[in-house]
Amino acid sequence: MSSQTFITLTDKLRRSYASVLIHLSRNLTINQQGELRFYWTELITEDDSGALGIFRSLENAGKISWEDVSFLKEGLLAVLREDLCKTLTLFEIKRDLIILLDLYARKKCGEDCGHAFNSVGKVADILVILTTHIAGEHDKTYDAGIAVESLVKSTKSLRKVLIAFEEVVVRELMDPWSRLTLLIMIAGEIVAVALTKNDDHFKTEALKLCFNGAQELSSRMINLGNWETFCDHVEEQYHRVYGENGSSDEASLVGKTITEVVHKLKETRFFL
């Protein structure tokens, strides 16, 4: 992903964060805002009024940002707004998934990825290894990305490929975390395919897929647990396995290719 595209992605994340703060401000009562001012007495300036003023003071003090909302969650828990903490948790999951899809795709494209959240970087590295070091027939390396690229070429739709994969993943895998992990990998592969195209339409679609895919996957993740549980699952499975050692014809071909990719990934024993 080009540096300009990454800047655009970061800007969109900042706006998503701002939208969350606006949502929080509209749902905090006057009394709760007063309680938060008392809780953060030494950080809140008199010039900053209202809930957004409180958040601005915290930002100016370097206590919160789109990259870290843990301090804000601490305060919301203190005033008994667990529901708003959940809103922030969902934002964190979506943010991390967006960064993961972007990072995974750029790693697959061989780009310099620069800074990334520690947990996101670890997970991206593991998932890239899984899709590029799968043993195929006669011990040849099997790259799932090549198969995904062929599917994108034949269907001309990134979303259709992801939906088609989901049907097979649900059928082939039993463990819900494994299902989610594999879908995240496939979404990353689709984004990577789009980024290799010298086509602004595909690059724009890739950016949308990062956000739309993360939106859909984040709701599934929060239903299963949280981001930390997901990271633990990926790392534990990796260490467990590798620590030990159009037309009907076209539809048939697409289905066969998708099934082959899922089967190859399933054979790693990483996915249950």
Side-chain angles (χ1 to χ4, degrees):
M1 186 174 286
S2 68
S3 58
Q4 183 61 45
T5 304
F6 183 65
I7 291 172
T8 302
L9 183 144
T10 303
D11 288 342
K12 285 176 70 69
L13 282 172
R14 287 196 178 100
R15 287 196 293 273
S16 294
Y17 161 73
S19 295
V20 171
L21 293 188
I22 291 172
H23 172 77
L24 298 183
S25 71
R26 291 174 176 172
N27 286 274
L28 283 167
T29 67
I30 298 298
N31 285 341
Q32 288 164 347
Q33 292 176 34
E35 290 170 348
L36 287 174
R37 283 183 170 277
F38 177 78
Y39 186 76
W40 289 314
T41 299
E42 74 283 5
L43 298 173
I44 309 302
T45 63
E46 293 183 3
D47 294 336
D48 287 329
S49 60
L52 289 178
I54 293 173
F55 301 152
R56 186 178 296 110
S57 287
L58 295 178
E59 287 180 328
N60 291 338
K63 293 296 185 179
I64 65 171
S65 69
W66 70 271
E67 295 179 279
D68 187 358
V69 295
S70 57
F71 192 77
L72 181 53
K73 291 170 73 174
E74 175 188 306
L76 291 174
L77 285 175
V79 298
L80 305 180
R81 290 306 303 267
E82 292 88 349
D83 58 324
L84 297 184
C85 282
K86 185 175 181 180
T87 298
L88 285 173
T89 298
L90 188 58
F91 164 75
E92 289 175 308
I93 290 175
K94 182 179 177 181
R95 174 203 64 198
D96 291 347
L97 280 170
I98 290 169
I99 295 172
L100 175 60
L101 292 177
D102 166 69
L103 184 60
Y104 176 94
R106 289 189 293 129
K107 282 179 177 288
K108 287 302 294 281
C109 293
E111 293 189 16
D112 179 14
C113 298
H115 168 73
F117 294 159
N118 188 44
S119 61
V120 177
K122 285 183 179 179
V123 171
D125 286 339
I126 290 174
L127 298 187
V128 168
I129 290 172
L130 284 173
T131 53
T132 54
H133 293 79
I134 304 169
E137 292 184 17
H138 310 299
D139 294 326
K140 293 181 179 179
T141 299
Y142 180 86
D143 189 340
I146 296 174
V148 171
E149 182 174 9
S150 70
L151 292 171
V152 172
K153 286 181 179 178
S154 64
T155 63
K156 307 296 183 183
S157 170
L158 304 181
R159 180 164 177 75
K160 284 183 180 179
V161 173
L162 186 59
I163 292 173
F165 262 106
E166 182 172 14
E167 294 174 356
V168 180
V169 167
V170 170
R171 185 178 72 233
E172 294 290 335
L173 301 179
M174 297 297 294
D175 179 64
W177 280 111
S178 288
R179 288 177 176 176
L180 179 62
T181 304
L182 204 155
L183 286 174
I184 290 171
M185 287 171 56
I186 297 303
E189 286 293 342
I190 295 172
V191 174
V193 169
L195 294 181
T196 61
K197 306 295 182 184
N198 188 23
D199 185 319
D200 289 339
H201 168 72
F202 270 102
K203 293 183 185 299
T204 300
E205 193 171 354
L207 189 59
K208 287 182 180 178
L209 184 63
C210 274
F211 278 80
N212 294 340
Q215 177 70 42
E216 186 171 337
L217 294 169
S218 62
S219 60
R220 300 183 189 190
M221 185 176 290
I222 203 167
N223 287 334
L224 292 176
N226 53 41
W227 175 260
E228 289 73 22
T229 306
F230 165 68
C231 292
D232 288 343
H233 167 79
V234 171
E235 291 191 46
E236 287 172 7
Q237 286 295 96
Y238 180 76
H239 291 306
R240 181 184 68 82
V241 174
Y242 293 96
E244 297 174 351
N245 280 311
S247 62
S248 58
D249 288 342
E250 180 181 293
S252 176
L253 178 61
V254 168
K256 181 179 179 181
T257 303
I258 290 175
T259 301
E260 180 184 13
V261 172
V262 174
H263 279 171
K264 289 294 183 181
L265 291 169
K266 186 179 178 182
E267 287 172 6
T268 66
R269 293 182 294 147
F270 182 91
F271 301 101
L272 305 177

